[in-house]
Amino acid sequence: MSFARSLLRVKPAERLATEGSHSELNRTLGLVPLVALSVGATLGTGIFVVLAEAAPAAGPAVVLSFVLAGLAALCSALSYAELAGSVPVSGSAYSYTYATLGEIIAWICGWCLLLEYGVSVAAVAVGWGGYLNEFLQGTIGVTIPEAFAAPPGEGGVVNVPAAVVVLLATGVLLLGVRESAWATTVTTVLKIAVLVFFVAVAFTAFNSGNLTPFAPAGIAGISVGASAVFFSFIGFDAASTAGEEARNPERDLPRAIILSLIIVTAIYVLVAFAAVAAVGAGALGESDASLATALRTVTGQGWPAVVLALGAVIAIASVVLTVLYGQTRILVAMSRDGLVPKMLSRVNRRSVPARNTALVGILVALLAAVVPLNQLAEATSIGTLVAFGLVNIGVVVLRRTRPELPRSFRTPLMPFVPLLGLALCAYLITGLDAVTWLTFAIWTAIGLVVYFGYGRRKSQLNRTAE
């Protein structure tokens, strides 16, 4: 076999499924925990943190930015749902790409997922400190000094709260998947309740004047806003990383992916509309804790903002927990395939990949402590969009190459929906700035060096073929 062909060698879906069925991870998750996992990984960042970044660019039309990003995510979610039902393993888009497009593409996808998940955890953690300070100020009248509550470049020296929340989430994950799922379900219910509270209060100050001009920067502003908020939709695929811990993955994974995206998109749009109508798009960009600030402006009192800040502290912490979980499970799949060290797939007596989890937690905590939010958010967006694009291509390829493969869910209007998802991902990528592209290019180059220096030599598929 030629060198080029060996790089594009696929790992059969049956082999991936067989390896997943013999996993040392415990199958304990039903549909509700899987939906909570995906909603928990998604709901929080886009509204509590990134709305402040996107609203000034798009104006009131930031509502349409969420709709556009949600549409792009939905097309990709339908592709994810089909592949999750056909290849129910922990690797998410990485494993799906391995079964359809070949090892080198799978590696690039997995490398993008490491950027997507790891950096998004750090980005969410950075925003956590703003709401923690809001809560502390409203309850005990003190705040963490800016030098220790913000990263360099944003007025601080090191973001201690960001590192702390990552390490706390790491500790919960080390307890076991059942305990992590319980914590995720409880915090997801709490943050939905807090957002419903926000909408109810914000609508009491509805002002149609805040909705005009609706799109001051036109379609370009909506596109820039959609590109900025798109990374907040990455959580819907978190359920697909639990393929080896779901009790009935073929049935429940597709349902969890689609249900979670519908729930999250509806909440994002409703909250964004209520916030803009209450205080205006410009005001939302003036604070890292934009929704809490909006409530204080609307009511003239401190307690509603304290309630929302507490909800945000819980919500963002749950996003950190669930996305960190997803990254560790993707590393398990990559490790089992030999592309990263074997130690990352070994589990302890609690069926937790402990070394993997501890290593990821420490690295992400360091990243969250020293890198500014806006740089983290955009770096996450490009990794997400590339991974989603590959999944949309992969589902079309697998339909053509393996039409007989059992599928518990079939993407409708094939191939138009996946191709639309691919086109929307490509469109949103064009809205990212040159610095983000440069960061991505450097990250990809490093990944290729790692693959050819280590992954290709250690690959189980490559060794089997020798």
Side-chain angles (χ1 to χ4, degrees):
M1 180 180 291
S2 69
F3 176 74
R5 290 185 62 187
S6 70
L7 294 177
L8 298 175
R9 186 170 46 229
V10 301
K11 191 169 188 177
E14 294 88 348
R15 180 170 171 181
L16 284 166
T18 299
E19 291 176 353
S21 67
H22 292 92
S23 171
E24 295 179 320
L25 300 172
N26 286 338
R27 293 193 178 277
T28 60
L29 304 180
L31 178 60
V32 172
L34 289 170
V35 172
L37 177 65
S38 286
V39 173
T42 312
L43 188 58
T45 314
I47 285 299
F48 287 108
V49 178
V50 182
L51 181 60
E53 301 279 337
V62 69
V63 174
L64 295 184
S65 295
F66 277 106
V67 172
L68 178 59
L71 178 61
L74 177 61
C75 294
S76 299
L78 293 171
S79 297
Y80 263 97
E82 176 168 329
L83 292 174
S86 305
V87 191
V89 293
S90 290
S92 185
Y94 158 76
S95 294
Y96 307 153
T97 307
Y98 213 161
T100 57
L101 302 176
E103 184 171 282
I104 184 64
I105 307 299
W107 169 262
I108 292 172
C109 182
W111 195 247
C112 286
L113 288 172
L114 296 184
L115 178 70
E116 170 193 335
Y117 277 79
V119 176
S120 68
V121 171
V124 174
V126 168
W128 189 72
Y131 279 99
L132 179 62
N133 264 341
E134 186 79 22
F135 176 71
L136 293 174
Q137 178 64 45
T139 52
I140 61 176
V142 299
T143 59
I144 300 170
E146 187 175 10
F148 301 106
E154 293 188 356
V157 176
V158 61
N159 194 327
V160 175
V164 167
V165 72
V166 173
L167 295 176
L168 287 174
T170 302
V172 173
L173 289 176
L174 289 171
L175 294 176
V177 68
R178 190 187 299 273
E179 292 78 5
S180 300
W182 180 85
T184 299
T185 302
V186 171
T187 54
T188 297
V189 171
L190 286 174
K191 64 184 171 183
I192 290 175
V194 167
L195 289 172
V196 170
F197 166 78
F198 171 83
V199 171
V201 175
F203 271 132
T204 65
F206 184 90
N207 181 357
S208 59
N210 287 329
L211 301 177
T212 56
F214 185 69
I219 295 176
I222 295 172
S223 177
V224 170
S227 296
V229 304
F230 186 81
F231 101 106
S232 62
F233 284 87
I234 70 167
F236 79 77
D237 64 333
S240 67
T241 66
E244 293 166 29
E245 290 163 290
R247 287 198 295 266
N248 191 342
E250 291 85 356
R251 183 195 68 185
D252 290 344
L253 291 182
R255 294 180 181 182
I257 289 168
I258 294 171
L259 279 172
S260 63
L261 183 61
I262 292 172
I263 292 169
V264 166
T265 303
I267 293 174
Y268 277 173
V269 170
L270 184 60
V271 173
F273 179 72
V276 172
V279 299
L284 292 174
E286 295 175 0
S287 168
D288 287 339
S290 55
L291 296 191
T293 302
L295 280 187
R296 184 179 290 108
T297 301
V298 166
T299 64
Q301 302 179 46
W303 70 265
V306 172
V307 171
L308 189 93
L310 176 61
V313 167
I314 296 170
I316 296 174
S318 74
V319 174
V320 171
L321 173 66
T322 50
V323 178
L324 202 63
Y325 165 87
Q327 184 176 38
T328 62
R329 270 43 180 186
I330 290 168
L331 276 174
V332 165
M334 296 178 74
S335 172
R336 190 166 55 216
D337 291 333
L339 300 182
V340 296
K342 281 292 183 184
M343 60 170 266
L344 297 178
S345 59
R346 293 177 186 146
V347 303
N348 61 15
R349 59 185 179 83
R350 292 178 175 269
S351 295
V352 174
R355 293 180 182 178
N356 170 344
T357 302
L359 177 63
V360 168
I362 292 169
L363 291 177
V364 172
L366 291 173
L367 187 66
V370 298
V371 181
L373 171 63
N374 60 339
Q375 294 180 16
L376 288 171
E378 292 216 348
T380 302
S381 291
I382 196 166
T384 304
L385 289 165
V386 170
F388 283 8
L390 291 174
V391 168
N392 283 307
I393 296 171
V395 73
V396 175
V397 170
L398 197 62
R399 276 281 191 102
R400 291 184 176 276
T401 58
R402 298 296 308 277
E404 81 291 351
L405 194 69
R407 291 170 170 83
S408 59
F409 176 86
R410 300 178 76 86
T411 304
L413 301 175
M414 181 68 76
F416 301 108
V417 168
L419 292 179
L420 177 59
L422 177 63
L424 287 170
C425 288
Y427 174 68
L428 290 175
I429 282 179
T430 63
L432 300 175
D433 61 30
V435 174
T436 303
W437 276 100
L438 178 61
T439 301
F440 179 71
I442 293 172
W443 177 256
T444 302
I446 294 171
L448 290 174
V449 170
V450 174
Y451 172 73
F452 286 107
Y454 179 90
R456 177 171 166 75
R457 292 186 297 107
K458 300 290 187 177
S459 165
Q460 290 294 324
L461 190 61
N462 192 42
R463 290 187 170 191
T464 304
E466 291 178 351

